Amino acid sequence: MNKINKLKIIKNQALTDEIHLLSLKVSDPLEAKPGQFFLLKMNERYDPLLGRPLSIFDLEGDKISFLFRVKGKGTKILSKLSLGEEIQITGPFGRWYPFPQGEFAVIAGGIGIASVFYLIKKFPERAYLFYGARNLSEILFYEELKNLCKEVFISTECGRGEYKGVVTETFREKGLKLNLPIYACGPMIMIKELRKILEENQSNLQCFVAVEERMACGLGACLGCVIETTEGFKRVCTEGPVFKIDELKL
Ligand SMILES: Cc1cc2nc3c(=O)[nH]c(=O)nc-3n(C[C@H](O)[C@H](O)[C@H](O)COP(=O)(O)OP(=O)(O)OC[C@H]3O[C@@H](n4cnc5c(N)ncnc54)[C@H](O)[C@@H]3O)c2cc1C
Ligand code: FES
């Protein structure tokens, strides 16, 4: 059930120039599943008016965490909030990743790791993770991920790390043959490339992707987040953000 909570900031750490980890102390028990998101309202004022959607990065005990890249006004304000300040979060929203039955493959592009970390953590030692970023400094939580996953394949566009190039190419080379269901989150260009690879290889592997459209109400009312699918337009906030890849019109 969606609830509005005012939670205290217990961590707001810059992990890179642009990426922050925000942790909040949960007072009432919170239930949320991997792939779902919350709307975070930055302040009491009306600017920005709307909360910003962030995926659940981690939820354990009395702590919920979000990993975010500073993009514009809202996330900039978020990145500057101090320990002890309170922030309003509403949620959880959206459809979660269907729970994997056995081993599974995960593809994370850049900040897309924010959406899949909790999935990997919920199902330890079952994920083969393909994780790509522009450079090594943006590969985050490497040690934790290595401990949680069966195997981690790191690709960077700058060429440092195990594989040079985009993460989908590493997946094409090493991941397809694993023959496992796929869970992916990353920029739209990565999702399109992944679909191309699956089509070229006539793969019928199950593939679930989380889409990060712009959002307004988060409740299914404003149609500000629609995306075209094979069954017409769907709202990312309520009918997503997780979709089957072959359902999307890319
Ligand atoms: C379901 C969902 C889950 C998300 N989870 C995360 C997450 O865990 N971590 C994270 O860093 N980001 C996540 N995002 C994206 C995040 O919500 C946006 O980056 C954020 O709302 C931007 O707000 P802003 O006020 O900083 O930027 P704005 O001032 O609103 O916009 C600044 C720039 O960012 C672009 N932008 C705005 N929203 C998005 C978006 N959704 N996707 C891509 N570009 C955008 C705008 O086009 C503009 O160029 C998620 C989005 C959705 C829909
Ligand atoms: S954000 Fe309003 S319908 Fe999705």
Side-chain angles (χ1 to χ4, degrees), residues 35-38 42 48 51-57 66-76 111 114-115 211-215 236-237 241:
Q36 290 191 297
F37 65 94
F38 282 82
M42 286 75 217
R52 298 297 194 253
L54 292 181
S55 310
I56 302 151
F57 174 70
F66 300 93
L67 185 73
F68 65 93
R69 184 186 288 280
V70 175
K71 274 271 190 178
K73 197 166 189 170
T75 45
K76 190 161 190 183
I111 196 68
S115 159
V211 175
E212 300 194 341
E213 265 304 314
R214 292 216 64 163
M215 236 173 237
V236 171
C237 63

Side-chain angles (χ1 to χ4, degrees), residues 105-175:
V106 178
I107 305 174
I111 196 68
I113 195 70
S115 159
V116 290
F117 184 89
Y118 188 37
L119 177 77
I120 292 169
K121 191 168 167 183
K122 276 250 181 211
F123 300 96
E125 292 179 37
R126 280 165 55 174
Y128 289 81
L129 171 64
F130 295 81
Y131 183 9
R134 282 176 278 187
N135 51 56
L136 263 191
S137 64
E138 294 208 346
I139 297 288
L140 304 169
F141 303 96
Y142 178 68
E143 289 305 324
E144 287 95 326
L145 288 164
K146 261 198 99 107
N147 287 331
L148 287 167
C149 294
K150 281 207 82 104
E151 210 166 337
V152 178
F153 302 82
I154 299 294
S155 323
T156 62
E157 288 165 40
C158 71
R160 293 178 62 214
E162 289 169 279
Y163 300 96
K164 176 171 165 46
V166 291
V167 65
T168 39
E169 280 312 306
T170 313
F171 178 77
R172 187 204 294 270
E173 196 187 315
K174 302 271 171 194

Side-chain angles (χ1 to χ4, degrees), residues 42 60 85 99 158 207:
M42 286 75 217
E60 191 173 354
E85 281 190 69
F99 288 175
C158 71
C207 178

Side-chain angles (χ1 to χ4, degrees), residues 82-100:
S82 309
L83 296 189
E85 281 190 69
E86 285 192 327
I87 176 164
Q88 181 185 298
I89 73 166
T90 314
F93 292 108
R95 283 161 53 153
W96 51 89
Y97 292 109
F99 288 175

